[in-house]
Amino acid sequence: MELIKTPKVENVRMLDRYNARKPSVGTLYLTATHLIFVDPDGKKETWILHMHIANVEKLPLTTSGSPLQIRCKTFLSVTFVVPRERDCQEVFVTLQQLSQPVHIEDLYCFHYTSSTEDIPKPAGWNFFDLQSEYQRMRVPNDQWSLTLLNKDYELCDTYPRYLYVPSTASTTLLMGSSRFRSKGRLPVLSYLHRNKAVICRCSQPLSGFSARCMEDEQLLNCILRTNPNSSYMYVVDTRPRINAMANRAAGKGYENENFYENIKFHFLGIDNIHVMRSSLSKLIETCELKAPSMGSFLSGIESSGWMRHIRSILETSWFIAQALEDGISVVVHCSDGWDRTAQVCSLASIFLDPYYRTIQGFQALIEKDWLAFGHKFSERCGHVAGDPKEVSPVFTQLVDCTWQLTQQFPTTFQFNERFLLTLHDHVQSCQFGTFIGNCEKDRVDLKLSERTFSLWGYMANHMNEYINPLYSTDANPDVLVPNISPQNIRFWRGMYCRFENGVHPREPLGDLLLATCDHSSSLEDHIRLLTKRINALKEQLADKGEKRRSFTSDALESTDVVLDNKYLYEKGCGEDTDNLTAIKLSHAATNGVVIPPVKPRSVELISVDQLAAELNSVALDWKTLRNIRECICSTPFDHFSRKYHCWKCGEVFCTRCIDKHTALPGHHSQRAVPVCKPCYREIRRSSSIESP
């Protein structure tokens, strides 16, 4: 808080790119975690998390004030015009300091308290276990075994402590190979296919122009022998050939086929982090054109090279997946094996294994191939102040590639677009400790599982928002066969242009489908309870009828009363059977017959008030999402804002007004569902009255 010199600036204008003549006017607030712009007349709030800010720039002074442009890692770009240049300078300096902390322990995750989320801090940290994931792939086995050489991160400090290597590989081979590989990242198992073909990952060898390592050569031969289906294997270098050859001058390079037996070497041409950073920068510039024509927009997308890079990553991943499906093992590396290698290993696994297309499986894949194997999240995302040349959108590309596949295969992925966007944004936000640090050792040293919340715990609490309503396990093939021709690679407007108000439809199709599924689920749950109540009423009526018949038969058997048939006929003419029964019972009672009680069945009895409460607790009609521009609390809805239905009253609310979950009396399952605050208080009040 001591960094904030000017916590509040009034009469600030926020420029609208699509309506320059009508800017929003309001107050700019600077808090410890967010920059907040409030326009009371337009009922508009804009919240910018400090850790989402990529860069802040002061633009040249104008007659109306000092412009301040803010670009975010979530692709939000806003320009504020501050009346006084001095206030603008103070806000500028403060935002620079708050968005780029010097020390890692100053990050948001170490101070985040989860005030509105009922989530315990340990939740999510135990969702994934590396050994369990390998056990799912049936490892260890005869060919692959666990080595503990890295249990204290001494063999390779950027690898996980548990490594799976060929059973025939000795300690000498492993240590020798580690010394020969950049950063000590020796070849280890990443994925085992059902036909025993494998993906192994590593870094480039320190081969220079002629150096060789017998241990490394023997280790690759051990990997080859774990697969009985092929007499050779591929070594895939994901770099362009010229880049790998340039590294030879620095004593690094690539494997020489003359030294390694039975391997086929391939360069597959994914550019380095610097090219990718520049490409994304050009893409953003194209998306921020003031008045783009069709030609300028399309040429800008083309010249950025972004779509070409996405295609090259998918193409390399598909080459690896095809090799495994054909029974051929693959060893993959780039330079240090934590950027391009992580991309293609994880995408190839998605092609080959339906489990990784589920929410839990995709999270496990990220934990294994990105977190455990040391992708440098803090450096690539610029979490703390450091070398800007180390920042690169490597993980953004993984998310984009995955989205491309969800568009080609809309029924094969359990998660939707919102899942990918949430994941991408929280990798950058530092709100959770899951992606802090550059490797597993960093996270252990920082004790993140004890000191911070997990993103997986947060997402588990919002799981219904991330479900793809079109997902079908029946239509999910074992192997995805993508179409990666250039015309099938799409520009992801929902990621890079999502904050452009007025450009998007107001209700995304995915949200409409989710709302329909939720409403159907609520009604089906209500029907199950009503069916239960109707069956209970039937049983109660049957018990009464049985009791009455029992009374009648016992009474008639226990008395010698002589009935006058003529009298009964005349008396009962036009009367129903119940009246005749009543007459017989009356005769029996007159003669002092004792009628034994009938033992009732065990039927759940409910009061009329309880039944009425159950019927009134579930909304039969939900308000349509169309043309709802703001919440009841006056919070406006834009394209990216999720609209939530209260399952009790059926009204539409923003996320802040529907942060409560409780069980509804009218639901058979009694699972907690989203309700608005007034309905939550009403249900709690009713339950407290009934409980005594």
Side-chain angles (χ1 to χ4, degrees):
M1 291 296 292
E2 62 272 10
L3 296 175
I4 302 175
K5 301 292 190 297
T6 307
K8 177 181 177 182
V9 183
E10 296 181 340
N11 297 318
V12 175
R13 294 187 303 142
M14 186 172 79
L15 303 184
D16 188 339
R17 180 176 143 202
Y18 293 97
N19 191 2
R21 296 182 180 179
K22 196 174 181 180
S24 300
V25 180
T27 304
L28 199 63
Y29 297 92
L30 205 55
T31 72
T33 58
H34 289 79
L35 178 70
I36 308 169
F37 176 76
V38 180
D39 173 11
D41 295 333
K43 296 182 178 179
K44 185 174 184 179
E45 288 185 11
T46 302
W47 290 60
I48 301 175
L49 183 67
H50 295 326
M51 293 308 305
H52 272 162
I53 296 175
N55 61 68
V56 188
E57 183 181 357
K58 281 184 66 181
L59 303 180
L61 281 170
T62 66
T63 55
S64 55
S66 181
L68 188 69
Q69 186 178 53
I70 299 172
R71 286 192 176 96
C72 296
K73 300 170 185 177
T74 58
F75 308 106
L76 169 67
S77 179
V78 294
T79 301
F80 297 109
V81 179
V82 182
R84 295 172 51 189
E85 199 276 335
R86 178 182 175 184
D87 291 338
C88 182
Q89 177 65 23
E90 289 184 351
V91 172
F92 170 73
V93 172
T94 302
L95 288 178
Q96 281 190 317
Q97 294 173 326
L98 291 176
S99 63
Q100 287 272 295
V102 176
H103 304 291
I104 196 166
E105 299 204 8
D106 292 332
L107 292 176
Y108 184 27
C109 60
F110 293 104
H111 311 286
Y112 174 64
T113 58
S114 184
S115 56
T116 61
E117 297 282 345
D118 188 19
I119 305 173
K121 187 170 284 189
W125 286 111
N126 59 349
F127 283 6
F128 175 81
D129 178 70
L130 186 64
Q131 289 178 284
S132 298
E133 176 56 21
Y134 278 98
Q135 286 170 6
R136 190 192 66 82
M137 293 186 280
R138 298 181 179 176
V139 177
N141 54 36
D142 293 341
Q143 290 81 31
W144 295 92
S145 60
L146 170 68
T147 177
L148 298 178
L149 285 176
N150 203 42
K151 64 178 180 179
D152 297 318
Y153 305 105
E154 293 179 352
L155 186 68
C156 175
D157 61 357
T158 59
Y159 264 1
R161 56 161 58 100
Y162 300 118
L163 300 175
Y164 291 86
V165 297
S167 300
T168 55
S170 65
T171 300
T172 303
L173 288 187
L174 298 175
M175 296 184 70
S177 176
S178 178
R179 287 191 294 267
F180 186 64
R181 293 281 171 171
S182 176
K183 312 294 184 185
R185 295 170 67 87
L186 71 159
V188 294
L189 179 66
S190 174
Y191 173 73
L192 172 64
H193 200 37
R194 56 182 177 274
N195 60 6
K196 295 189 177 181
V198 299
I199 299 175
C200 287
R201 58 182 298 169
C202 57
S203 61
Q204 65 184 334
L206 305 178
S207 54
F209 288 98
S210 59
R212 62 184 296 186
C213 174
M214 299 301 296
E215 292 87 355
D216 191 71
E217 295 166 19
Q218 292 174 34
L219 179 57
L220 261 63
N221 197 38
C222 290
I223 293 173
L224 170 62
R225 291 201 303 269
T226 62
N227 179 14
N229 300 315
S230 178
S231 59
Y232 66 94
M233 69 178 181
Y234 291 129
V235 173
V236 169
D237 191 327
T238 61
R239 300 170 292 181
R241 180 187 293 269
I242 190 171
N243 293 19
M245 293 180 69
N247 281 346
R248 297 177 72 180
K252 300 178 182 179
Y254 52 91
E255 293 82 356
N256 188 329
E257 288 188 13
N258 296 325
F259 299 153
Y260 292 86
E261 296 180 356
N262 301 316
I263 73 164
K264 294 185 178 181
F265 196 86
H266 287 271
F267 288 108
L268 289 175
I270 301 174
D271 283 307
N272 62 30
I273 61 171
H274 312 296
V275 174
M276 299 306 187
R277 180 177 62 252
S278 175
S279 175
L280 182 62
S281 178
K282 293 176 182 176
L283 181 76
I284 293 171
E285 288 177 8
T286 300
C287 293
E288 292 180 356
L289 290 172
K290 294 292 183 183
S293 65
M294 195 69 189
S296 63
F297 182 78
L298 292 177
S299 63
I301 296 292
E302 172 64 22
S303 62
S304 74
W306 185 257
M307 313 299 288
R308 175 171 54 83
H309 297 316
I310 294 298
R311 181 176 181 269
S312 68
I313 295 168
L314 287 170
E315 194 172 30
T316 302
S317 305
W318 177 234
F319 175 86
I320 296 168
Q322 277 184 302
L324 262 71
E325 185 63 14
D326 293 340
I328 304 169
S329 295
V330 183
V331 174
V332 186
H333 68 74
C334 47
S335 295
D336 291 321
W338 50 44
D339 291 320
R340 289 164 282 196
T341 301
Q343 289 175 332
V344 299
C345 285
S346 49
L347 286 167
S349 300
I350 291 173
F351 286 132
L352 295 168
D353 194 338
Y355 172 68
Y356 293 129
R357 302 168 212 154
T358 66
I359 291 177
Q360 181 183 358
F362 193 76
Q363 291 174 342
L365 189 68
I366 291 169
E367 285 275 359
K368 174 172 68 73
D369 278 329
W370 292 78
L371 291 167
F373 277 99
H375 175 65
K376 297 161 63 170
F377 277 104
S378 283
E379 289 190 15
R380 296 293 181 259
C381 299
H383 289 162
V384 293
D387 185 358
K389 292 183 179 179
E390 287 295 309
V391 176
S392 188
V394 178
F395 190 76
T396 300
Q397 288 179 320
L398 170 81
V399 177
D400 195 329
C401 288
T402 306
W403 179 82
Q404 300 288 340
L405 296 178
T406 64
Q407 299 307 292
Q408 291 193 27
F409 306 97
T411 63
T412 59
F413 287 84
Q414 188 187 20
F415 47 83
N416 58 15
E417 181 184 69
R418 189 176 296 275
F419 172 83
L420 294 174
L421 292 173
T422 302
L423 178 61
H424 174 270
D425 291 354
H426 279 302
V427 166
Q428 313 282 352
S429 73
C430 299
Q431 183 172 330
F432 303 95
T434 306
F435 295 95
I436 305 303
N438 291 321
C439 58
E440 183 181 282
K441 182 178 183 298
D442 285 354
R443 285 179 276 278
V444 171
D445 292 343
L446 288 168
K447 299 181 179 178
L448 292 171
S449 61
E450 302 171 17
R451 303 170 61 193
T452 67
F453 287 86
S454 167
L455 175 61
W456 308 140
Y458 166 82
M459 297 186 85
N461 209 40
H462 295 260
M463 195 60 70
N464 66 313
E465 299 177 28
Y466 309 131
I467 297 294
N468 171 19
L470 302 177
Y471 176 64
S472 171
T473 54
D474 298 332
N476 203 347
D478 288 339
V479 178
L480 291 186
V481 181
N483 186 334
I484 50 179
S485 56
Q487 61 268 32
N488 280 321
I489 306 301
R490 301 173 58 180
F491 172 72
W492 190 3
R493 184 189 66 177
M495 167 75 93
Y496 309 111
C497 298
R498 59 180 134 150
F499 295 103
E500 294 182 352
N501 294 327
V503 177
H504 302 274
R506 186 163 293 278
E507 296 82 25
L509 180 60
D511 287 355
L512 292 175
L513 286 172
L514 274 179
T516 303
C517 290
D518 285 345
H519 193 192
S520 299
S521 175
S522 176
L523 293 178
E524 288 170 359
D525 204 350
H526 189 46
I527 288 170
R528 284 193 290 271
L529 182 79
L530 293 179
T531 303
K532 178 182 176 182
R533 295 294 180 239
I534 290 170
N535 290 334
L537 289 172
K538 285 181 179 178
E539 291 183 13
Q540 290 184 37
L541 292 173
D543 283 343
K544 289 182 179 179
E546 182 180 332
K547 183 176 180 180
R548 185 157 47 202
R549 286 192 297 272
S550 177
F551 286 173
T552 303
S553 60
D554 288 341
L556 294 178
E557 290 174 4
S558 304
T559 182
D560 295 329
V561 176
V562 178
L563 300 179
D564 186 341
N565 291 329
K566 182 175 182 298
Y567 171 78
L568 287 177
Y569 174 78
E570 293 173 351
K571 185 74 176 175
C573 191
E575 297 179 357
D576 59 15
T577 308
D578 284 344
N579 289 335
L580 295 176
T581 304
I583 295 170
K584 295 177 183 179
L585 292 177
S586 176
H587 279 284
T590 305
N591 288 272
V593 177
V594 179
I595 301 172
V598 177
K599 185 177 181 181
R601 300 179 192 174
S602 57
V603 179
E604 181 184 357
L605 300 177
I606 62 170
S607 66
V608 175
D609 291 340
Q610 182 182 346
L611 185 59
E614 291 176 350
L615 293 173
N616 294 330
S617 69
V618 177
L620 301 183
D621 295 316
W622 280 15
K623 191 172 182 179
T624 178
L625 295 178
R626 296 187 181 279
N627 299 321
I628 298 180
R629 299 184 178 276
E630 64 180 35
C631 176
I632 194 173
C633 69
S634 297
T635 299
F637 290 120
D638 56 26
H639 168 73
F640 190 64
S641 300
R642 173 76 195 276
K643 301 171 185 175
Y644 299 86
H645 279 99
C646 172
W647 289 38
K648 183 182 185 301
C649 67
E651 294 293 323
V652 177
F653 298 90
C654 68
T655 182
R656 285 184 291 178
C657 291
I658 200 160
D659 60 342
K660 303 295 183 183
H661 287 68
T662 189
L664 299 182
H667 280 165
H668 182 265
S669 65
Q670 286 300 289
R671 62 190 177 100
V673 297
V675 293
C676 61
K677 292 178 180 177
C679 289
Y680 180 79
R681 289 192 293 268
E682 181 182 340
I683 293 170
R684 287 296 182 187
R685 184 166 58 251
S686 300
S687 60
S688 63
I689 293 173
E690 292 173 4
S691 56

